[in-house]
Structure formats: structure tokens, C-alpha cells
Amino acid sequence: MAAKSPFQQHGTGRTWAVRSVVAVLVLASGYLVFEFGRIKAGYDVVDADNERQVYEDRIENFENEIIDLKQEVALLETHREVDREAYKEVETSLQTLQAKIQEQRDAIAFYRGIVSPSDGNAGLRVQNLRLTRGKEEREYTVRLVLVQAMKHDRKVSGDVNLSVEGNQGGEQKTYAFSELLPAGADTGWVFSFRYFQDFDRQLVLPDGFTPERVKVEVRSRTRSISSIEESFAWATSQS
């Protein structure tokens, strides 16, 4: 095959260069026509970019607001938990304080009953009788507090006799203290004190017996101090 002359090679190079330039011009013309069409249709590239930037800025602002709101919600949740815990602490402290105040009032009333009773009568008296349920169904604890009011120059001694009145089988029935004691319990109930003395004694009620009243006899063996007898409605407490 005959080799191409330098003129032929140069002509071929120019041909490719021309073709490249034409292709670029065609593409550029096509883009310009496209942009011209969009501009005639009311589309502005610069305005579109600006509008897009505005929307992107708004989206960024909304995302930042969402982050801030989430942080605020988390903070409010934390404050709510703190407030709830603080309220619980205040409520607990208030209940504790009220319980202490009530204890102090009870103590004041108790000692006032010893030193200066409201009726102004001296001598033996039942300051308190409380019935609480035991571990078993028909078991009860009797808490009895005896005091010597006003005069405390001597000890008072004696014994307590307790009985329970109620209904059994449709008839009235009274049980003596010795009949209501657990097996092996001491039947005696003696006292000796100058100011006050408290007792806890266990009772077991018979089956089918419904208690109604508790009768307490405090029998003094001390000269010049009279015995007393009191009756209480049967009523149990929580403690």
C-alpha cells in the first residue's frame, strides 16, 4: 500500500478538528436553544437557583427547629421527673411531720391525763384500751394502759380482771379472761405503778362467738385508792 502524503495527513487532521468544533457548536447551540425556550416559558436559571436556595435554607431552619424542639421536650421531661420526685419527697416529709405532730399530741394528751385529767378526778383510770387482730383468724391482742391521775405520792397495786360479752348461737354469752387465753398463758394479771403501766395480752375467741363489749375491772389493793370498772365497745384497729 502507498504511504499517505503529508498533505493528506494534514487534511485528515483538519477534518477531525472541524468536526469536533462543529459538534461543540451544535451542543452549545442546542443548550442555548433549550435555555432560550425555558426563558421564553418564564423560567429563569438564576431565579430558580435562588428559589432552590431559599427552600434549602427553610429546610435547614426547620431541621434546626426540630432539633431545638426535641431538646426542649427532653428538658421538659427531665424537669417533670425532677418535679415529680421533689413532690414525692415533700409529700413524704409532710406525712412524716404530720405523724410526728400526732405522736406529740398523743403524748401530751396522755401525760395531761396523768397530771391533770379533764374531769379533775384523781385515782385509777383506764387511759386506753385497744384491740388488734392477731396472726390467726380468732386471735386478738388487747393493749391496756392504766394511769394514776393527779396523785402520785404512792404506788398503786392490784390486778386486772377482763371479760368479753357477746352473742353465741343467738344467745348472750360472757367469757371470763381465763377462758379466752391461749394454751399455757399466765392467768394472772397484776399491776404495780406510780404514774402509768401498759400491757399487751393475747385473747383467742371461741368459734361461733361474736364479741360486742369488753368489761375491765381494775381492782386496787392499795389503801385509799379505789378500784374501777369500765366497759368498752368491741372495736378492732389496724395497729
Side-chain angles (χ1 to χ4, degrees):
M1 178 183 282
K4 291 183 179 181
S5 67
F7 293 103
Q8 290 175 324
Q9 293 176 352
H10 182 68
T12 300
R14 289 191 61 186
T15 300
W16 282 106
V18 170
R19 287 178 179 177
S20 299
V21 171
V22 170
V24 171
L25 290 174
V26 170
L27 292 174
S29 298
Y31 176 75
L32 291 174
V33 170
F34 174 72
E35 287 296 330
F36 179 73
R38 290 203 299 178
I39 291 171
K40 289 200 69 176
Y43 183 85
D44 191 327
V45 175
V46 176
D47 290 342
D49 285 341
N50 291 337
E51 187 173 354
R52 184 191 63 192
Q53 186 63 44
V54 169
Y55 284 121
E56 287 179 352
D57 292 341
R58 287 181 181 177
I59 291 172
E60 184 178 359
N61 290 335
F62 288 147
E63 289 176 344
N64 290 334
E65 287 183 15
I66 290 173
I67 294 174
D68 292 339
L69 288 173
K70 287 182 177 180
Q71 292 176 348
E72 186 174 353
V73 168
L75 185 62
L76 290 174
E77 288 289 339
T78 302
H79 286 170
R80 186 174 66 180
E81 291 297 325
V82 171
D83 290 343
R84 186 181 294 114
E85 291 300 321
Y87 175 78
K88 287 182 180 178
E89 291 180 4
V90 171
E91 187 177 29
T92 301
S93 299
L94 180 59
Q95 291 175 349
T96 302
L97 181 59
Q98 288 175 336
K100 289 182 178 179
I101 291 173
Q102 188 58 48
E103 288 178 2
Q104 297 297 320
R105 287 176 177 171
D106 293 342
I108 291 172
F110 176 77
Y111 288 108
R112 183 181 291 121
I114 297 174
V115 177
S116 178
S118 58
D119 58 13
N121 295 327
L124 273 173
R125 66 177 58 209
V126 176
Q127 182 73 8
N128 187 30
L129 185 141
R130 180 177 297 177
L131 298 162
T132 56
R133 294 183 179 274
K135 296 180 180 179
E136 302 298 329
E137 182 179 357
R138 303 193 65 79
E139 287 185 356
Y140 294 87
T141 297
V142 179
R143 180 172 181 79
L144 179 68
V145 181
L146 302 178
V147 301
Q148 184 177 198
M150 298 181 68
K151 295 182 179 180
H152 313 110
D153 55 338
R154 68 175 69 182
K155 279 187 176 182
V156 57
S157 301
D159 63 88
V160 176
N161 184 35
L162 181 145
S163 60
V164 180
E165 301 171 352
N167 185 287
Q168 189 166 33
E171 296 181 357
Q172 287 300 113
K173 178 71 175 180
T174 299
Y175 282 96
F177 177 64
S178 59
E179 298 176 292
L180 301 174
L181 293 174
D186 185 6
T187 58
W189 191 342
V190 298
F191 63 85
S192 179
F193 62 91
R194 177 169 295 183
Y195 296 99
F196 70 92
Q197 190 171 2
D198 60 323
F199 307 89
D200 286 324
R201 300 301 302 266
Q202 307 303 313
L203 299 180
V204 180
L205 298 182
D207 292 335
F209 177 68
T210 302
E212 297 174 351
R213 300 196 68 80
V214 180
K215 182 179 178 181
V216 181
E217 294 180 73
V218 184
R219 299 179 295 202
S220 171
R221 295 196 184 97
T222 302
R223 205 182 282 181
S224 75
I225 297 179
S226 302
S227 300
I228 60 171
E229 182 178 314
E230 295 191 35
S231 180
F232 303 87
W234 181 280
T236 58
S237 61
Q238 296 297 322
S239 59

